[in-house]
Amino acid sequence: MAMQLEEEGGLQNNYTKDGTVDLRGNPVLRSKRGGWRACSFIVVYEVFERMAYYGISSNLVLYLTKKFHEGTVESANNVTNWVGTIWMAPILGAYVADALLGRYWTFLISCIIYLSGMSLLTLSVSLPSLKPPTCQDPNIENCQKASTLQVAVFFGALYILAIGTGGTKPNISTIGADQFDDFNPKEKNQKLSFFNWWWCSIFCGTLFANTVLVYIQDNVGWSLGYGLPTLGLLFSITVFLLGTPFYRHKVPSGSPFTKMAMVIVGAVRKIKVVVPNDPKELYELDLDEYARNGKFRIDSTSGLRFLNKAAVKTGSRDAWMLSSVTQVEETKQMLRMIPVLIITFVPSIMIAQINTLFVKQGATLDRNIGSFKIPPASLLGFVTIAMLISVVLYDRFFVRIMQKWTNNPRGITLLQRMGIGLIFHTVIMIIASITEMYRLKSAKKFGVVNGGQIPVTIFILLPQFVLMGVADAFLEVAKLEFFYDQAPESMKSLGTSYSTTSYGIGNYLSSFILSTVSDLTSRNGHQGWILNNLNASHLDYYYAFFAILNFVNFIFFLVVLKFYVYKAEVSDSMEVLAKELQKAKTPNQECPIIDHKCKRKDNLYIKPS
């Protein structure tokens, strides 16, 4: 009997302790689900999905210029507005996942929408009736514009695609991170490297898109160039579905927006209430309440003290009057990240230039290597290559060296890693400005100011592309990990959406700045900084302005870095919580753990009725 109990207890310890379940709500064995085996399907999905997305976005500005006959500002803004929507939509996707459907089902439904948009987009670039007639006139103002129907179908497809990505982007990386149990030291350490390798998968797909696909689009045809990404997306969804038996899932825990609103409203309604000095006098649930649900209880902190009023006991049990200390602290954690989110807007504006002005610059330069003509958008591949190399070097060497000096498992803090990326962005725009000055001088030298190709190799743009990849290895990887890591356990999808929101707002700001600068600099008879003819423009001034903007943003970052308080690691009471969790999961004698017919309700094992 004792041996049987010991065996059952051993099996019990093999179950995850973070509240993850299978799709039917049953507990999952650590050895059967999750870990790197489950993540392998997710990583492969991301390779092909990124290939699909960047197969469209990388060369979109040239399609709008060559086929839709749009000008520099109009085409660039159409790209950044669409990309901005792509990255803002995840806020809605995160809400649906956390509050209603869960990450898995939200993701799958979004994939169907995503694939529908890609299919319609491929159709729009393939049928002659859905695109303007070909125009060889170098002055695009003389070319026939797209009809209302053509614009509606093309941009409708783009924005259907954007809605689909809104449900995939915030959930797929979070599903991957959910495959590692923070209560298990080994799996917790594995999660530290997950986001680095996650980014590697992203950029493997991006590399293919920025080399092979853009070449096909420029030299073979847009139908095949868009059809292949659509097939790639279909393949990626299939791979994800094949991994379904191995995934761990977290049960939706309610809308994070509602939870945060309850805390803020409760604090405002009790604005005259005095917060007691002893945090133990504040309202909080019992530890076993959290243990049964595989959640962490968070101790009260003094930061943002005003919100503590929401947890002061006044006799009312109204959820909009009384919140638990943990709920208050979760709200604080999300609010504390907002200054960091604001900091990331400026580098996101810089990234927006890669797919727009950087590519259009490349189109004005000599792209020939013998008989081979380099597609301008293919230089984006160097961003990918630099990113991949930098991430590997960072993970394998830099982290290990810094660990000896700092005793930090990450080598340096996430904000310090982001800070290095911000410095790179300032340097990049200085180099871009200097390079553009040289390009414009060459245009005058060779007499092509009024239009035409400058006989200077496109590789003069290489430094700004390569350094952008290095900057991403520091800033973008750290940004994604930071917003996931610092978000409370019940709001991970919303935390991840902070990262995508940064891109979204950055792209919208890019559109606003480009339009504003173009308008202001062309007043009073001035020629303007950004014209359809880049050889007569002044992008060097524009990039210099961005260098100053990056420097100011870095100063703001230093202020935030000084005052930011990291979310406490899993508290010292984790061991106690784990024991409580194990106790809550202990099966009764009528339903031994080895009886696979047992079901779990609220993390308790019961026999099915």
Side-chain angles (χ1 to χ4, degrees):
M1 182 66 176
M3 183 178 297
Q4 181 183 1
L5 290 174
E6 183 179 350
E7 181 180 345
E8 293 173 2
L11 287 170
Q12 173 66 22
N13 289 331
N14 287 330
Y15 280 78
T16 57
K17 297 181 174 64
D18 60 353
T20 50
V21 296
D22 63 17
L23 283 176
R24 296 182 178 180
N26 298 321
V28 295
L29 281 168
R30 195 185 310 280
S31 59
K32 298 294 184 181
R33 290 175 178 263
W36 283 112
R37 178 174 57 177
C39 281
S40 63
F41 292 93
I42 296 171
V43 168
V44 172
Y45 162 87
E46 191 64 10
V47 171
F48 286 89
E49 189 278 330
R50 290 293 84 187
M51 181 197 77
Y53 168 69
Y54 284 103
I56 303 300
S57 65
S58 297
N59 227 9
L60 182 58
V61 69
L62 292 187
Y63 183 85
L64 294 175
T65 301
K66 294 179 178 180
K67 300 300 180 181
F68 264 46
H69 313 137
E70 294 183 348
T72 298
V73 174
E74 184 183 9
S75 60
N77 283 351
N78 275 332
V79 172
T80 50
N81 287 336
W82 173 69
V83 173
T85 304
I86 284 278
W87 293 109
M88 290 296 289
I91 296 177
L92 177 61
Y95 169 80
V96 174
D98 284 339
L100 302 172
L101 301 180
R103 291 162 190 160
Y104 180 85
W105 293 113
T106 301
F107 175 82
L108 278 189
I109 293 171
S110 300
C111 280
I112 297 173
I113 300 173
Y114 190 174
L115 185 60
S116 300
M118 288 286 290
S119 301
L120 181 59
L121 190 64
T122 302
L123 191 66
S124 72
V125 302
S126 302
L127 298 180
S129 61
L130 294 179
K131 54 186 178 181
T134 303
C135 178
Q136 302 297 333
D137 193 323
N139 186 355
I140 59 174
E141 294 178 358
N142 298 327
C143 296
Q144 181 178 329
K145 300 296 183 181
S147 68
T148 302
L149 175 63
Q150 292 165 347
V151 169
V153 173
F154 184 79
F155 285 99
L158 284 177
Y159 282 91
I160 290 173
L161 187 160
I163 293 171
T165 60
T168 60
K169 287 185 183 297
N171 291 308
I172 186 62
S173 59
T174 312
I175 290 173
D178 286 346
Q179 306 310 308
F180 302 97
D181 184 359
D182 277 334
F183 282 94
N184 181 276
K186 180 181 178 181
E187 292 193 10
K188 185 178 179 182
N189 288 332
Q190 289 174 337
K191 187 188 286 190
L192 294 178
S193 293
F194 169 72
F195 286 107
N196 282 337
W197 294 107
W198 171 254
W199 272 96
C200 284
S201 71
I202 288 176
F203 280 87
C204 283
T206 306
L207 180 61
F208 183 85
N210 292 336
T211 52
V212 178
L213 290 182
V214 297
Y215 177 82
I216 291 173
Q217 290 166 1
D218 278 9
N219 297 279
V220 180
W222 293 92
S223 298
L224 182 61
Y226 277 22
L228 288 176
T230 302
L231 292 176
L233 179 62
L234 177 61
F235 178 77
S236 68
I237 296 171
T238 303
V239 170
F240 177 83
L241 288 172
L242 290 175
T244 298
F246 305 103
Y247 299 145
R248 302 172 185 173
H249 306 277
K250 289 194 174 180
V251 179
S253 56
S255 167
F257 296 108
T258 302
K259 292 180 181 179
M260 295 170 64
M262 286 178 175
V263 172
I264 295 171
V265 170
V268 171
R269 292 175 69 180
K270 293 188 285 188
I271 191 170
K272 296 182 179 180
V273 173
V274 178
V275 178
N277 293 326
D278 186 358
K280 293 181 180 180
E281 296 182 26
L282 298 174
Y283 173 70
E284 181 58 293
L285 303 177
D286 293 333
L287 185 62
D288 59 353
E289 183 79 16
Y290 293 102
R292 280 197 298 271
N293 293 287
K295 297 179 180 179
F296 296 110
R297 189 174 74 179
I298 308 175
D299 294 333
S300 180
T301 62
S302 57
L304 298 175
R305 184 176 172 81
F306 171 77
L307 295 179
N308 289 347
K309 293 177 181 290
V312 176
K313 302 173 186 177
T314 58
S316 173
R317 304 287 292 185
D318 182 359
W320 291 89
M321 278 288 288
L322 183 64
S323 301
S324 67
V325 169
T326 295
Q327 188 174 339
V328 170
E329 292 303 316
E330 287 175 340
T331 303
K332 289 182 182 181
Q333 288 170 9
M334 297 304 298
L335 294 178
R336 285 193 186 107
M337 292 192 292
I338 290 179
V340 180
L341 174 63
I342 294 172
I343 287 169
T344 63
F345 293 164
V346 172
S348 293
I349 296 172
M350 304 305 109
I351 293 173
Q353 310 314 307
I354 299 177
N355 292 333
T356 53
L357 295 181
F358 281 16
V359 172
K360 290 185 74 70
Q361 277 180 285
T364 68
L365 298 168
D366 180 13
R367 298 180 278 129
N368 294 308
I369 300 180
S371 59
F372 180 77
K373 197 167 188 177
I374 303 171
S378 66
L379 286 188
L380 291 167
F382 288 99
V383 178
T384 304
I385 294 171
M387 167 77 174
L388 287 170
I389 294 174
S390 299
V391 166
V392 173
L393 292 177
Y394 184 93
D395 192 57
R396 293 300 179 188
F397 298 102
F398 183 82
V399 170
R400 295 180 182 180
I401 293 172
M402 295 305 298
Q403 282 175 341
K404 297 177 181 179
W405 291 358
T406 64
N407 293 321
N408 187 323
R410 291 188 172 92
I412 57 177
T413 67
L414 292 174
L415 284 179
Q416 288 171 342
R417 183 173 180 176
M418 291 172 64
I420 295 173
L422 292 175
I423 294 173
F424 270 108
H425 274 288
T426 305
V427 174
I428 289 167
M429 298 320 295
I430 292 174
I431 291 175
S433 180
I434 295 172
T435 302
E436 179 63 8
M437 289 173 62
Y438 175 75
R439 192 188 70 83
L440 293 176
K441 286 182 180 179
S442 299
K444 292 180 180 179
K445 177 181 178 182
F446 293 103
V448 290
V449 173
N450 294 325
Q453 187 180 84
I454 303 172
V456 174
T457 177
I458 191 175
F459 290 113
I460 64 167
L461 301 178
L462 200 56
Q464 61 202 57
F465 280 93
V466 170
L467 288 177
M468 191 68 77
V470 178
D472 285 350
F474 283 93
L475 179 59
E476 300 308 314
V477 176
K479 181 175 74 175
L480 178 60
E481 186 175 354
F482 175 85
F483 289 129
Y484 177 88
D485 181 78
Q486 293 297 294
E489 294 300 317
S490 63
M491 299 182 183
K492 291 298 187 184
S493 290
L494 179 59
T496 304
S497 73
Y498 270 28
S499 179
T500 61
T501 299
S502 165
Y503 287 120
I505 295 179
N507 274 273
Y508 287 141
L509 288 174
S510 177
S511 296
F512 172 76
I513 292 173
L514 182 63
S515 296
T516 303
V517 170
S518 176
D519 180 59
L520 291 177
T521 58
S522 61
R523 291 180 178 178
N524 301 322
H526 292 92
Q527 194 172 24
W529 288 4
I530 302 104
L531 307 173
N532 291 340
N533 176 16
L534 290 189
N535 293 350
S537 300
H538 265 298
L539 287 182
D540 52 340
Y541 296 168
Y542 192 57
Y543 292 156
F545 163 72
F546 277 151
I548 296 171
L549 185 63
N550 274 287
F551 178 75
V552 173
N553 188 57
F554 181 72
I555 299 300
F556 176 51
F557 164 79
L558 293 178
V559 176
V560 173
L561 179 65
K562 180 177 180 180
F563 293 100
Y564 185 80
V565 178
Y566 282 91
K567 181 185 78 173
E569 293 291 336
V570 178
S571 65
D572 295 334
S573 62
M574 187 183 96
E575 185 176 346
V576 176
L577 182 57
K579 290 180 180 179
E580 291 290 338
L581 180 59
Q582 183 175 342
K583 186 188 299 182
K585 290 182 177 178
T586 301
N588 55 44
Q589 293 181 356
E590 295 180 355
C591 187
I593 193 68
I594 57 176
D595 183 351
H596 297 294
K597 294 182 180 179
C598 293
K599 304 293 182 183
R600 186 169 77 170
K601 183 176 182 182
D602 295 331
N603 289 355
L604 294 174
Y605 293 94
I606 59 173
K607 273 198 172 184
S609 56

